Amino acid sequence: MTAQPDLPGKPTSASRTTLSHIMTGSDTNLLGTVHGGVIMKLVDDAAGAVAGRHSGGPAVTASMDEMVFLEPVRVGDLVHVRAQVNWTGRSSMEVGVRVMAERWNESTPATQVGTAYLVFAAVDADGRPRPVPPVVPETERDRRRYQEAQIRRTHRLARRRAIKELRANRAAEGFDDSRDAREN
């Protein structure tokens, strides 16, 4: 599926953003490093801002495709969460996020500590899907990200289809997985 052709496209740079946050003691886990959930919230916040900017209104998190933690984040790190729209459908958008960290009191370059891909759905005031403008990749890197996002979307849809088929087959064989389906 492609974006709505009647909406003018928006360049990748139009909604790209960076959120920065200094990590404090209240952000730590039992190991003394920053809790992954804190980083995930920052990722969701940045991605949500980008999705809302691109779509011109409210957008909700539909899924987090992948969150990779590459390095631990420590108290005193200044974390930069950079996000941009990689791909758009009719009402959905994939947002790519890169998480960088640097010591707050040093002048060393920031290190990449994580990446994530999230899917957002643009919604109207009643919570129903609404159309989003197509994203217009501007650079070779943007075009690569767009193509990779299409691959991830194909895999998401195939995985969802395969799971539905498996559950339907199990139901046809007399297995009652209805409780499992409600739990997942």
Side-chain angles (χ1 to χ4, degrees), residues 82-125:
R82 299 179 179 145
Q84 74 171 47
V85 173
N86 290 335
W87 177 89
T88 53
R90 282 189 311 220
S91 62
S92 64
M93 300 158 275
E94 184 197 89
V95 179
V97 181
R98 177 173 293 180
V99 184
M100 308 293 289
E102 61 182 309
R103 294 306 294 167
W104 70 274
N105 59 348
E106 297 175 9
S107 59
T108 56
T111 302
Q112 185 173 348
V113 296
T115 61
Y117 298 101
L118 298 88
V119 176
F120 279 79
V123 294
D124 64 16

Side-chain angles (χ1 to χ4, degrees), residues 19 21 23 33-36 38-40 42-43 66-75 77-82 97-103 109-116:
L19 295 180
H21 189 79
M23 298 291 106
T33 56
V34 173
H35 194 289
V38 171
I39 301 298
M40 290 173 79
L42 294 173
V43 163
E66 188 175 308
M67 177 77 212
V68 178
F69 297 99
L70 302 169
E71 298 284 334
V73 176
R74 301 173 294 158
V75 170
D77 281 352
L78 181 58
V79 173
H80 307 284
V81 183
R82 299 179 179 145
V97 181
R98 177 173 293 180
V99 184
M100 308 293 289
E102 61 182 309
R103 294 306 294 167
T111 302
Q112 185 173 348
V113 296
T115 61

Side-chain angles (χ1 to χ4, degrees), residues 13-180:
S13 62
S15 58
R16 187 179 293 140
T17 194
T18 300
L19 295 180
S20 298
H21 189 79
I22 193 158
M23 298 291 106
T24 66
S26 64
D27 299 320
T28 60
N29 59 27
L30 296 174
L31 299 175
T33 56
V34 173
H35 194 289
V38 171
I39 301 298
M40 290 173 79
K41 182 179 184 326
L42 294 173
V43 163
D44 192 45
D45 287 347
V50 166
R53 286 172 124 186
H54 182 83
S55 68
V60 296
T61 310
S63 71
M64 179 178 272
D65 240 16
E66 188 175 308
M67 177 77 212
V68 178
F69 297 99
L70 302 169
E71 298 284 334
V73 176
R74 301 173 294 158
V75 170
D77 281 352
L78 181 58
V79 173
H80 307 284
V81 183
R82 299 179 179 145
Q84 74 171 47
V85 173
N86 290 335
W87 177 89
T88 53
R90 282 189 311 220
S91 62
S92 64
M93 300 158 275
E94 184 197 89
V95 179
V97 181
R98 177 173 293 180
V99 184
M100 308 293 289
E102 61 182 309
R103 294 306 294 167
W104 70 274
N105 59 348
E106 297 175 9
S107 59
T108 56
T111 302
Q112 185 173 348
V113 296
T115 61
Y117 298 101
L118 298 88
V119 176
F120 279 79
V123 294
D124 64 16
D126 297 320
R128 290 188 300 263
R130 62 180 175 79
V132 299
V135 66
V136 179
E138 298 173 279
T139 66
E140 248 340 283
R141 179 180 284 175
D142 292 341
R143 284 185 274 285
R144 176 187 53 80
R145 288 177 176 161
Y146 185 90
Q147 292 170 331
E148 290 173 357
Q150 289 178 305
I151 293 168
R152 282 187 292 274
R153 181 176 186 277
T154 299
H155 286 254
R156 270 193 310 275
L157 295 175
R159 185 176 58 240
R160 186 177 304 147
R161 221 175 6 261
I163 290 169
K164 283 184 178 183
E165 287 175 17
L166 174 67
R167 289 180 178 174
N169 290 340
R170 288 185 53 83
E173 294 170 2
F175 293 102
D176 182 15
D177 291 336
S178 58
R179 181 176 157 201
D180 291 343

